[in-house]
Amino acid sequence: MTDIGSSRPAAQAFELVLDKGESRVAEFEVRARSPLQKLQHFLHANPTAVPAIVLLLSVAAFGFTVGSRFLSMFNLSLIIQQVTIIGVIGAAQTLIVITAGIDLSVGAIMVLCSVIMGKLAVTMGLPAPIAFVVGVAAGAGCGVVNGALVTRLKLPPFIVTLGTWSIFFALNLWYSASETIRSQEVAKIAPLLQALGTSVNIFGARFTYGSFFMLGLVALIWFVLNRTAFGRHLYAVGDDPDAARLAGIQTDRILFSVYVIAGVICALGAWALIGRIGSISPQAGQTANLDSITAVVVGGASLFGGRGSIVGTLIGALIVGVFRNGLALSDVDVLWQEFAVGWLIIIAVALDQWIRKVSA
């Protein structure tokens, strides 16, 4: 319908309403962040900042209270030697935690692989290189079991690895007959297995090849996590597996690969363990499972997945080593050393919860 004497159509009712409507464009007010919110965002963007600060403050505090005994080059290098096993096993745990999982069997895999290497090389007389390769293959096989149960049967990683921890530990006791292979026998028949225990002096500090091996492993995993597609996929799966799947990432393959790689790293940890203690004992590494989780959590990784750093894990292991060494030099009972480490874990998890609110 048109008005008489005009070619323009008459305005419809909805057009009259729109003419009276609001014409301003939506505006979003940018609120200034408080200093606490700025700190929260900074820590969220830099997950290794907190553990690095804690490490520096811990060294300063024990250096002030204990004195030169703690700050001597020999003692500081001793701390690095002491955390070698935690650092290597923590590297395996870091990969699992980034995918929002957890592996309670890493310590049992490590000890089982060390027993396999020792029995084959020392008791059965196989060449040490072959025994080493078989031990690494056994670690990969343990990872295959964990990965298959998680990806094929869709079982929770916590339950799966809790069960395989008992299984691997039982196999360890059965295969070793609960007998320890003495360090003298290993040194005589298979010195290769003790190679990472060889020490060198550098500017008054004493390091072992195992310490350099740990640092090399950390550097390699850092490169994989930060410079490869596999590393980016790892974080994506841990942050949001459904979104990662829609983006074309084969999440089950990534998860399966992570558990296999973790098993191989645990086998390499077995090599470092033999070098560290000299002998091969089925009772060694009893606290490795919890120590690895402690290093990862204190190092700033999130147990909810998608956030973590291998450098943070190394710093977390050093923090635990500094606390235990400093408290021991302060004549603090072992009971209270564990008490302090327990509080470290609780504080680290609480801090992670607070930092995660930024992305909520």
Side-chain angles (χ1 to χ4, degrees):
M1 180 182 292
T2 60
D3 294 335
I4 299 176
S6 173
S7 60
R8 180 182 178 183
Q12 300 296 318
F14 70 87
E15 294 178 314
L16 296 175
V17 174
L18 291 175
D19 289 338
K20 299 177 182 179
E22 184 63 61
S23 60
R24 292 183 302 173
V25 179
E27 298 179 357
F28 297 93
E29 181 182 358
V30 179
R31 298 180 180 179
R33 294 175 181 172
S34 67
L36 188 61
Q37 289 175 325
K38 292 180 179 179
L39 175 63
Q40 191 178 18
H41 278 266
F42 172 78
L43 297 179
H44 186 269
N46 302 273
T48 60
V50 174
I53 294 172
V54 172
L55 178 61
L56 292 175
L57 292 177
S58 301
V59 172
F62 285 116
F64 178 77
T65 56
V66 180
S68 60
R69 286 191 303 160
F70 178 81
L71 293 176
S72 67
M73 289 296 296
F74 176 80
N75 186 66
L76 293 178
S77 63
L78 179 62
I79 293 174
I80 297 177
Q81 294 180 49
Q82 292 171 339
V83 303
T84 296
I85 307 304
I86 302 177
V88 174
I89 301 302
Q93 193 71 256
T94 300
L95 299 177
I96 303 296
V97 170
I98 288 176
T99 64
I102 196 167
D103 193 341
L104 299 178
S105 66
V106 288
I109 295 175
M110 176 183 68
V111 179
L112 176 60
C113 292
S114 71
V115 168
I116 290 175
M117 293 177 186
K119 291 284 287 186
L120 292 178
V122 179
T123 305
M124 299 181 62
L126 285 179
I130 295 179
F132 173 77
V133 172
V134 173
V136 173
C142 293
V144 168
V145 173
N146 284 337
L149 291 174
V150 170
T151 58
R152 301 298 180 185
L153 299 184
K154 306 299 181 183
L155 299 177
F158 180 87
I159 300 301
V160 168
T161 56
L162 179 63
T164 55
W165 167 66
S166 298
I167 293 172
F168 298 150
F169 184 69
L171 290 175
N172 162 41
L173 294 179
W174 167 76
Y175 186 62
S176 66
S178 299
E179 296 177 351
T180 298
I181 301 175
R182 297 181 303 169
S183 59
Q184 294 88 342
E185 295 178 89
V186 180
K188 180 180 179 180
I189 302 175
L192 173 66
L193 299 183
Q194 294 181 335
L196 294 185
T198 305
S199 61
V200 292
N201 292 323
I202 302 177
F203 301 114
R206 185 180 180 184
F207 298 94
T208 62
Y209 289 160
S211 301
F212 297 119
F213 175 77
M214 174 189 67
L215 296 176
L217 180 64
V218 168
L220 175 62
I221 294 178
W222 179 90
F223 178 82
V224 171
L225 290 178
N226 294 277
R227 294 291 185 268
T228 67
F230 178 79
R232 292 190 293 272
H233 292 172
L234 207 63
Y235 282 105
V237 170
D239 187 55
D240 192 335
D242 293 330
R245 190 178 299 108
L246 292 175
I249 298 175
Q250 296 180 327
T251 55
D252 284 347
R253 178 177 295 181
I254 293 293
L255 284 175
F256 182 80
S257 301
V258 165
Y259 282 96
V260 175
I261 294 172
V264 171
I265 294 175
C266 289
L268 296 176
W271 188 28
L273 177 66
I274 297 173
R276 174 65 183 156
I277 65 177
S279 61
I280 299 173
S281 172
Q283 301 295 335
Q286 293 292 316
T287 62
N289 297 329
L290 297 180
D291 286 343
S292 66
I293 297 173
T294 301
V296 172
V297 172
V298 173
S302 174
L303 293 176
F304 298 96
R307 183 172 178 272
S309 165
I310 186 63
V311 176
T313 297
L314 176 60
I315 297 175
L318 290 172
I319 290 173
V320 175
V322 165
F323 262 75
R324 286 178 174 164
N325 182 273
L327 292 174
L329 291 178
S330 302
D331 296 325
V332 176
D333 189 87
V334 176
L335 172 67
W336 298 111
Q337 294 178 31
E338 297 301 323
F339 179 85
V341 172
W343 274 109
L344 270 178
I345 299 173
I346 294 174
I347 293 172
V349 173
L351 187 60
D352 171 66
Q353 293 275 40
W354 177 69
I355 294 174
R356 282 179 62 86
K357 291 180 181 179
V358 173
S359 59

PDB file of all heavy atoms in Angstrom, residues 113-143:
ATOM      1  N   CYS A 113      62.430 -52.552  35.326  1.00  0.00           N
ATOM      2  CA  CYS A 113      63.389 -52.499  34.216  1.00  0.00           C
ATOM      3  C   CYS A 113      64.827 -52.643  34.718  1.00  0.00           C
ATOM      4  O   CYS A 113      65.659 -53.273  34.054  1.00  0.00           O
ATOM      5  CB  CYS A 113      63.225 -51.190  33.441  1.00  0.00           C
ATOM      6  SG  CYS A 113      61.668 -51.063  32.538  1.00  0.00           S
ATOM      7  N   SER A 114      65.112 -52.070  35.888  1.00  0.00           N
ATOM      8  CA  SER A 114      66.468 -52.207  36.437  1.00  0.00           C
ATOM      9  C   SER A 114      66.760 -53.665  36.791  1.00  0.00           C
ATOM     10  O   SER A 114      67.873 -54.163  36.560  1.00  0.00           O
ATOM     11  CB  SER A 114      66.636 -51.316  37.674  1.00  0.00           C
ATOM     12  OG  SER A 114      65.900 -51.813  38.784  1.00  0.00           O
ATOM     13  N   VAL A 115      65.779 -54.350  37.336  1.00  0.00           N
ATOM     14  CA  VAL A 115      65.948 -55.769  37.678  1.00  0.00           C
ATOM     15  C   VAL A 115      66.130 -56.603  36.417  1.00  0.00           C
ATOM     16  O   VAL A 115      66.973 -57.519  36.367  1.00  0.00           O
ATOM     17  CB  VAL A 115      64.736 -56.267  38.491  1.00  0.00           C
ATOM     18  CG1 VAL A 115      64.750 -57.787  38.607  1.00  0.00           C
ATOM     19  CG2 VAL A 115      64.730 -55.628  39.877  1.00  0.00           C
ATOM     20  N   ILE A 116      65.365 -56.304  35.368  1.00  0.00           N
ATOM     21  CA  ILE A 116      65.501 -57.044  34.102  1.00  0.00           C
ATOM     22  C   ILE A 116      66.900 -56.850  33.529  1.00  0.00           C
ATOM     23  O   ILE A 116      67.559 -57.813  33.107  1.00  0.00           O
ATOM     24  CB  ILE A 116      64.422 -56.579  33.098  1.00  0.00           C
ATOM     25  CG1 ILE A 116      63.036 -57.048  33.564  1.00  0.00           C
ATOM     26  CG2 ILE A 116      64.726 -57.111  31.699  1.00  0.00           C
ATOM     27  CD1 ILE A 116      61.899 -56.533  32.711  1.00  0.00           C
ATOM     28  N   MET A 117      67.378 -55.606  33.509  1.00  0.00           N
ATOM     29  CA  MET A 117      68.732 -55.340  33.003  1.00  0.00           C
ATOM     30  C   MET A 117      69.775 -56.102  33.813  1.00  0.00           C
ATOM     31  O   MET A 117      70.686 -56.727  33.256  1.00  0.00           O
ATOM     32  CB  MET A 117      69.031 -53.833  33.070  1.00  0.00           C
ATOM     33  CG  MET A 117      68.219 -52.973  32.140  1.00  0.00           C
ATOM     34  SD  MET A 117      68.605 -51.200  32.379  1.00  0.00           S
ATOM     35  CE  MET A 117      67.383 -50.441  31.316  1.00  0.00           C
ATOM     36  N   GLY A 118      69.643 -56.054  35.133  1.00  0.00           N
ATOM     37  CA  GLY A 118      70.621 -56.705  35.995  1.00  0.00           C
ATOM     38  C   GLY A 118      70.603 -58.215  35.889  1.00  0.00           C
ATOM     39  O   GLY A 118      71.661 -58.855  35.801  1.00  0.00           O
ATOM     40  N   LYS A 119      69.411 -58.802  35.880  1.00  0.00           N
ATOM     41  CA  LYS A 119      69.317 -60.266  35.809  1.00  0.00           C
ATOM     42  C   LYS A 119      69.862 -60.789  34.482  1.00  0.00           C
ATOM     43  O   LYS A 119      70.580 -61.806  34.447  1.00  0.00           O
ATOM     44  CB  LYS A 119      67.856 -60.694  35.988  1.00  0.00           C
ATOM     45  CG  LYS A 119      67.300 -60.455  37.386  1.00  0.00           C
ATOM     46  CD  LYS A 119      67.798 -61.480  38.390  1.00  0.00           C
ATOM     47  CE  LYS A 119      67.142 -62.814  38.185  1.00  0.00           C
ATOM     48  NZ  LYS A 119      67.508 -63.777  39.259  1.00  0.00           N
ATOM     49  N   LEU A 120      69.523 -60.096  33.401  1.00  0.00           N
ATOM     50  CA  LEU A 120      69.988 -60.567  32.091  1.00  0.00           C
ATOM     51  C   LEU A 120      71.496 -60.435  31.951  1.00  0.00           C
ATOM     52  O   LEU A 120      72.160 -61.342  31.440  1.00  0.00           O
ATOM     53  CB  LEU A 120      69.288 -59.771  30.978  1.00  0.00           C
ATOM     54  CG  LEU A 120      67.783 -60.013  30.810  1.00  0.00           C
ATOM     55  CD1 LEU A 120      67.230 -59.128  29.700  1.00  0.00           C
ATOM     56  CD2 LEU A 120      67.496 -61.484  30.495  1.00  0.00           C
ATOM     57  N   ALA A 121      72.045 -59.293  32.421  1.00  0.00           N
ATOM     58  CA  ALA A 121      73.472 -59.052  32.220  1.00  0.00           C
ATOM     59  C   ALA A 121      74.343 -59.783  33.232  1.00  0.00           C
ATOM     60  O   ALA A 121      75.359 -60.382  32.875  1.00  0.00           O
ATOM     61  CB  ALA A 121      73.750 -57.549  32.283  1.00  0.00           C
ATOM     62  N   VAL A 122      73.957 -59.757  34.506  1.00  0.00           N
ATOM     63  CA  VAL A 122      74.811 -60.301  35.573  1.00  0.00           C
ATOM     64  C   VAL A 122      74.519 -61.780  35.816  1.00  0.00           C
ATOM     65  O   VAL A 122      75.441 -62.603  35.862  1.00  0.00           O
ATOM     66  CB  VAL A 122      74.627 -59.495  36.873  1.00  0.00           C
ATOM     67  CG1 VAL A 122      75.499 -60.082  37.984  1.00  0.00           C
ATOM     68  CG2 VAL A 122      74.978 -58.028  36.648  1.00  0.00           C
ATOM     69  N   THR A 123      73.263 -62.130  35.962  1.00  0.00           N
ATOM     70  CA  THR A 123      72.911 -63.512  36.299  1.00  0.00           C
ATOM     71  C   THR A 123      72.943 -64.441  35.089  1.00  0.00           C
ATOM     72  O   THR A 123      73.482 -65.561  35.150  1.00  0.00           O
ATOM     73  CB  THR A 123      71.509 -63.553  36.945  1.00  0.00           C
ATOM     74  OG1 THR A 123      71.476 -62.664  38.065  1.00  0.00           O
ATOM     75  CG2 THR A 123      71.175 -64.964  37.407  1.00  0.00           C
ATOM     76  N   MET A 124      72.368 -63.965  33.958  1.00  0.00           N
ATOM     77  CA  MET A 124      72.277 -64.827  32.785  1.00  0.00           C
ATOM     78  C   MET A 124      73.465 -64.662  31.834  1.00  0.00           C
ATOM     79  O   MET A 124      73.630 -65.461  30.907  1.00  0.00           O
ATOM     80  CB  MET A 124      70.972 -64.541  32.038  1.00  0.00           C
ATOM     81  CG  MET A 124      69.722 -64.810  32.867  1.00  0.00           C
ATOM     82  SD  MET A 124      68.185 -64.490  31.960  1.00  0.00           S
ATOM     83  CE  MET A 124      68.326 -65.689  30.640  1.00  0.00           C
ATOM     84  N   GLY A 125      74.267 -63.639  32.028  1.00  0.00           N
ATOM     85  CA  GLY A 125      75.484 -63.484  31.242  1.00  0.00           C
ATOM     86  C   GLY A 125      75.317 -62.894  29.864  1.00  0.00           C
ATOM     87  O   GLY A 125      76.238 -62.964  29.032  1.00  0.00           O
ATOM     88  N   LEU A 126      74.163 -62.280  29.577  1.00  0.00           N
ATOM     89  CA  LEU A 126      73.995 -61.625  28.284  1.00  0.00           C
ATOM     90  C   LEU A 126      74.876 -60.374  28.218  1.00  0.00           C
ATOM     91  O   LEU A 126      75.153 -59.750  29.250  1.00  0.00           O
ATOM     92  CB  LEU A 126      72.531 -61.225  28.076  1.00  0.00           C
ATOM     93  CG  LEU A 126      71.534 -62.348  27.745  1.00  0.00           C
ATOM     94  CD1 LEU A 126      70.133 -61.760  27.609  1.00  0.00           C
ATOM     95  CD2 LEU A 126      71.932 -63.061  26.455  1.00  0.00           C
ATOM     96  N   PRO A 127      75.315 -59.980  27.023  1.00  0.00           N
ATOM     97  CA  PRO A 127      76.076 -58.731  26.915  1.00  0.00           C
ATOM     98  C   PRO A 127      75.269 -57.554  27.471  1.00  0.00           C
ATOM     99  O   PRO A 127      74.043 -57.477  27.266  1.00  0.00           O
ATOM    100  CB  PRO A 127      76.309 -58.594  25.409  1.00  0.00           C
ATOM    101  CG  PRO A 127      76.238 -59.991  24.889  1.00  0.00           C
ATOM    102  CD  PRO A 127      75.220 -60.687  25.731  1.00  0.00           C
ATOM    103  N   ALA A 128      75.937 -56.654  28.160  1.00  0.00           N
ATOM    104  CA  ALA A 128      75.257 -55.536  28.815  1.00  0.00           C
ATOM    105  C   ALA A 128      74.443 -54.687  27.840  1.00  0.00           C
ATOM    106  O   ALA A 128      73.322 -54.273  28.176  1.00  0.00           O
ATOM    107  CB  ALA A 128      76.267 -54.686  29.577  1.00  0.00           C
ATOM    108  N   PRO A 129      74.951 -54.387  26.616  1.00  0.00           N
ATOM    109  CA  PRO A 129      74.135 -53.588  25.690  1.00  0.00           C
ATOM    110  C   PRO A 129      72.807 -54.255  25.342  1.00  0.00           C
ATOM    111  O   PRO A 129      71.775 -53.584  25.241  1.00  0.00           O
ATOM    112  CB  PRO A 129      75.036 -53.452  24.452  1.00  0.00           C
ATOM    113  CG  PRO A 129      76.427 -53.597  24.977  1.00  0.00           C
ATOM    114  CD  PRO A 129      76.317 -54.610  26.075  1.00  0.00           C
ATOM    115  N   ILE A 130      72.847 -55.601  25.166  1.00  0.00           N
ATOM    116  CA  ILE A 130      71.600 -56.312  24.856  1.00  0.00           C
ATOM    117  C   ILE A 130      70.651 -56.266  26.050  1.00  0.00           C
ATOM    118  O   ILE A 130      69.444 -56.057  25.896  1.00  0.00           O
ATOM    119  CB  ILE A 130      71.905 -57.770  24.451  1.00  0.00           C
ATOM    120  CG1 ILE A 130      72.709 -57.800  23.156  1.00  0.00           C
ATOM    121  CG2 ILE A 130      70.606 -58.563  24.299  1.00  0.00           C
ATOM    122  CD1 ILE A 130      73.088 -59.200  22.698  1.00  0.00           C
ATOM    123  N   ALA A 131      71.190 -56.472  27.251  1.00  0.00           N
ATOM    124  CA  ALA A 131      70.360 -56.405  28.458  1.00  0.00           C
ATOM    125  C   ALA A 131      69.733 -55.023  28.600  1.00  0.00           C
ATOM    126  O   ALA A 131      68.563 -54.893  28.995  1.00  0.00           O
ATOM    127  CB  ALA A 131      71.202 -56.735  29.686  1.00  0.00           C
ATOM    128  N   PHE A 132      70.510 -53.985  28.265  1.00  0.00           N
ATOM    129  CA  PHE A 132      69.995 -52.618  28.345  1.00  0.00           C
ATOM    130  C   PHE A 132      68.843 -52.414  27.365  1.00  0.00           C
ATOM    131  O   PHE A 132      67.794 -51.854  27.719  1.00  0.00           O
ATOM    132  CB  PHE A 132      71.124 -51.624  28.057  1.00  0.00           C
ATOM    133  CG  PHE A 132      70.663 -50.198  27.943  1.00  0.00           C
ATOM    134  CD1 PHE A 132      70.353 -49.463  29.076  1.00  0.00           C
ATOM    135  CD2 PHE A 132      70.537 -49.596  26.701  1.00  0.00           C
ATOM    136  CE1 PHE A 132      69.923 -48.147  28.970  1.00  0.00           C
ATOM    137  CE2 PHE A 132      70.113 -48.291  26.582  1.00  0.00           C
ATOM    138  CZ  PHE A 132      69.807 -47.556  27.717  1.00  0.00           C
ATOM    139  N   VAL A 133      69.021 -52.871  26.135  1.00  0.00           N
ATOM    140  CA  VAL A 133      67.970 -52.714  25.120  1.00  0.00           C
ATOM    141  C   VAL A 133      66.707 -53.469  25.519  1.00  0.00           C
ATOM    142  O   VAL A 133      65.586 -52.963  25.360  1.00  0.00           O
ATOM    143  CB  VAL A 133      68.479 -53.194  23.744  1.00  0.00           C
ATOM    144  CG1 VAL A 133      67.338 -53.225  22.732  1.00  0.00           C
ATOM    145  CG2 VAL A 133      69.595 -52.283  23.247  1.00  0.00           C
ATOM    146  N   VAL A 134      66.871 -54.682  26.057  1.00  0.00           N
ATOM    147  CA  VAL A 134      65.704 -55.464  26.502  1.00  0.00           C
ATOM    148  C   VAL A 134      64.990 -54.732  27.649  1.00  0.00           C
ATOM    149  O   VAL A 134      63.760 -54.703  27.712  1.00  0.00           O
ATOM    150  CB  VAL A 134      66.133 -56.883  26.941  1.00  0.00           C
ATOM    151  CG1 VAL A 134      64.946 -57.622  27.567  1.00  0.00           C
ATOM    152  CG2 VAL A 134      66.674 -57.658  25.749  1.00  0.00           C
ATOM    153  N   GLY A 135      65.779 -54.138  28.546  1.00  0.00           N
ATOM    154  CA  GLY A 135      65.172 -53.385  29.644  1.00  0.00           C
ATOM    155  C   GLY A 135      64.372 -52.193  29.151  1.00  0.00           C
ATOM    156  O   GLY A 135      63.267 -51.913  29.651  1.00  0.00           O
ATOM    157  N   VAL A 136      64.896 -51.479  28.157  1.00  0.00           N
ATOM    158  CA  VAL A 136      64.165 -50.347  27.578  1.00  0.00           C
ATOM    159  C   VAL A 136      62.895 -50.839  26.879  1.00  0.00           C
ATOM    160  O   VAL A 136      61.825 -50.215  26.985  1.00  0.00           O
ATOM    161  CB  VAL A 136      65.060 -49.567  26.592  1.00  0.00           C
ATOM    162  CG1 VAL A 136      64.250 -48.502  25.858  1.00  0.00           C
ATOM    163  CG2 VAL A 136      66.223 -48.915  27.336  1.00  0.00           C
ATOM    164  N   ALA A 137      62.995 -51.975  26.185  1.00  0.00           N
ATOM    165  CA  ALA A 137      61.820 -52.548  25.532  1.00  0.00           C
ATOM    166  C   ALA A 137      60.762 -52.955  26.553  1.00  0.00           C
ATOM    167  O   ALA A 137      59.556 -52.807  26.321  1.00  0.00           O
ATOM    168  CB  ALA A 137      62.227 -53.759  24.686  1.00  0.00           C
ATOM    169  N   ALA A 138      61.206 -53.463  27.714  1.00  0.00           N
ATOM    170  CA  ALA A 138      60.269 -53.823  28.777  1.00  0.00           C
ATOM    171  C   ALA A 138      59.544 -52.586  29.289  1.00  0.00           C
ATOM    172  O   ALA A 138      58.331 -52.626  29.560  1.00  0.00           O
ATOM    173  CB  ALA A 138      61.012 -54.514  29.913  1.00  0.00           C
ATOM    174  N   GLY A 139      60.272 -51.468  29.413  1.00  0.00           N
ATOM    175  CA  GLY A 139      59.624 -50.220  29.827  1.00  0.00           C
ATOM    176  C   GLY A 139      58.585 -49.774  28.824  1.00  0.00           C
ATOM    177  O   GLY A 139      57.483 -49.342  29.201  1.00  0.00           O
ATOM    178  N   ALA A 140      58.925 -49.884  27.525  1.00  0.00           N
ATOM    179  CA  ALA A 140      57.956 -49.537  26.490  1.00  0.00           C
ATOM    180  C   ALA A 140      56.737 -50.453  26.564  1.00  0.00           C
ATOM    181  O   ALA A 140      55.597 -50.014  26.387  1.00  0.00           O
ATOM    182  CB  ALA A 140      58.613 -49.626  25.115  1.00  0.00           C
ATOM    183  N   GLY A 141      56.980 -51.755  26.849  1.00  0.00           N
ATOM    184  CA  GLY A 141      55.869 -52.701  26.973  1.00  0.00           C
ATOM    185  C   GLY A 141      54.940 -52.358  28.121  1.00  0.00           C
ATOM    186  O   GLY A 141      53.707 -52.456  27.993  1.00  0.00           O
ATOM    187  N   CYS A 142      55.508 -51.921  29.239  1.00  0.00           N
ATOM    188  CA  CYS A 142      54.676 -51.485  30.371  1.00  0.00           C
ATOM    189  C   CYS A 142      53.846 -50.269  29.973  1.00  0.00           C
ATOM    190  O   CYS A 142      52.666 -50.150  30.341  1.00  0.00           O
ATOM    191  CB  CYS A 142      55.553 -51.144  31.573  1.00  0.00           C
ATOM    192  SG  CYS A 142      56.413 -52.555  32.308  1.00  0.00           S
ATOM    193  N   GLY A 143      54.447 -49.361  29.187  1.00  0.00           N
ATOM    194  CA  GLY A 143      53.708 -48.208  28.706  1.00  0.00           C
ATOM    195  C   GLY A 143      52.587 -48.595  27.769  1.00  0.00           C
ATOM    196  O   GLY A 143      51.504 -47.985  27.785  1.00  0.00           O
TER     197      GLY A 143
END
